[in-house]
Amino acid sequence: YGANYLAEVAREVVGIDLAPGNIPRAAAEYQRPNLRFHHMDATQLNFPNNSFDVVCSFQVIEHIPESLLSRYLSEMSRVLQPSGVCCISTLNLAHNMKPGKPYEKLVYHEKEFTAPELEVLLKRAFPVVEMYGLHLTWTHRVYQRLKKWGLEKIGPAHLNPIARFYQQASPRDFTVSRNLSPAVLYLIALCRKHPAN
């Protein structure tokens, strides 16, 4: 769905996935003339150098084996135009770790990152890295607290304001800033080969 969303504004979008079964499903569900999907390994991209103005990797880097992270990033850099931007997002490990409680990463995650760890890694492949954090709005934080208390389960969902909020949540209920505190839900990095003009 992310590739489909980008295809609303991009001239052309190519989505890739390592799981071959996901390609026909994506192609059947998201049909646009400027959108196509390919079965491909992100550490071995089958595209020529400098193929893309923008390369996006949303919630993927945590699934890449640590031994392949350098190759994964160098491949994205290779297919990116010299003036292009690579956008990478991942969960914020600092947000998920709770003081005084043991933490276990999700079983299908290879490596999770704090903001400083991610920035250091990305700068090995991209000389210019701008780090951002995805935050909940104040209203969203209030509803999240009420949901944690289980209040969204009271009464019918269509009458419960907490349940209704989550049914209608949109990008307006999040903000992006340079603040990288532990409260940040997700880390977002904009990476470039050269400084932006």
Side-chain angles (χ1 to χ4, degrees):
Y1 71 89
N4 183 61
Y5 185 77
L6 292 171
E8 291 179 7
V9 294
R11 184 176 66 245
E12 180 183 13
V13 175
V14 180
I16 69 165
D17 200 297
L18 184 58
N22 287 342
I23 301 307
R25 283 195 292 276
E29 187 165 347
Y30 303 110
Q31 298 180 10
R32 292 178 182 269
N34 62 335
L35 174 61
R36 64 186 198 276
F37 297 94
H38 294 290
H39 173 235
M40 199 176 298
D41 183 338
T43 66
Q44 296 176 317
L45 296 175
N46 190 21
F47 300 113
N49 295 351
N50 308 316
S51 294
F52 299 98
D53 298 316
V54 178
V55 174
C56 298
S57 173
F58 300 138
Q59 312 307 107
V60 174
I61 194 169
E62 63 270 20
H63 299 276
I64 304 294
E66 285 191 69
S67 62
L68 296 176
L69 281 170
S70 292
R71 194 159 138 191
Y72 163 74
L73 294 172
S74 66
E75 277 294 275
M76 287 193 292
S77 177
R78 180 185 66 76
V79 301
L80 186 66
Q81 290 274 356
S83 61
V85 62
C86 177
C87 183
I88 297 173
S89 70
T90 188
L91 61 81
N92 179 17
L93 178 58
H95 174 75
N96 287 9
M97 295 176 68
K98 305 303 179 205
K101 294 184 180 178
Y103 176 75
E104 285 188 37
K105 67 179 173 60
L106 295 172
V107 66
Y108 46 86
H109 285 181
E110 297 286 340
K111 168 72 176 152
E112 296 175 353
F113 299 90
T114 64
E117 288 173 333
L118 182 62
E119 186 172 13
V120 166
L121 175 69
L122 296 178
K123 283 187 173 178
R124 292 182 194 157
F126 296 97
V128 181
V129 176
E130 297 172 28
M131 296 289 296
Y132 297 88
L134 182 75
H135 305 260
L136 301 178
T137 60
W138 183 86
T139 303
H140 197 158
R141 288 197 308 268
V142 169
Y143 280 111
Q144 184 184 54
R145 177 62 59 193
L146 296 172
K147 185 178 180 184
K148 283 183 180 177
W149 293 341
L151 298 179
E152 89 284 0
K153 297 176 183 171
I154 297 174
H158 71 281
L159 296 177
N160 184 301
I162 302 152
R164 284 202 323 266
F165 172 83
Y166 280 99
Q167 289 169 355
Q168 299 169 359
S170 75
R172 294 185 315 269
D173 300 304
F174 300 88
T175 61
V176 175
S177 80
R178 295 300 291 262
N179 175 352
L180 295 173
S181 74
V184 165
L185 292 175
Y186 296 101
L187 304 171
I188 302 167
L190 299 182
C191 309
R192 294 180 173 86
K193 298 180 188 182
H194 306 287
N197 295 333

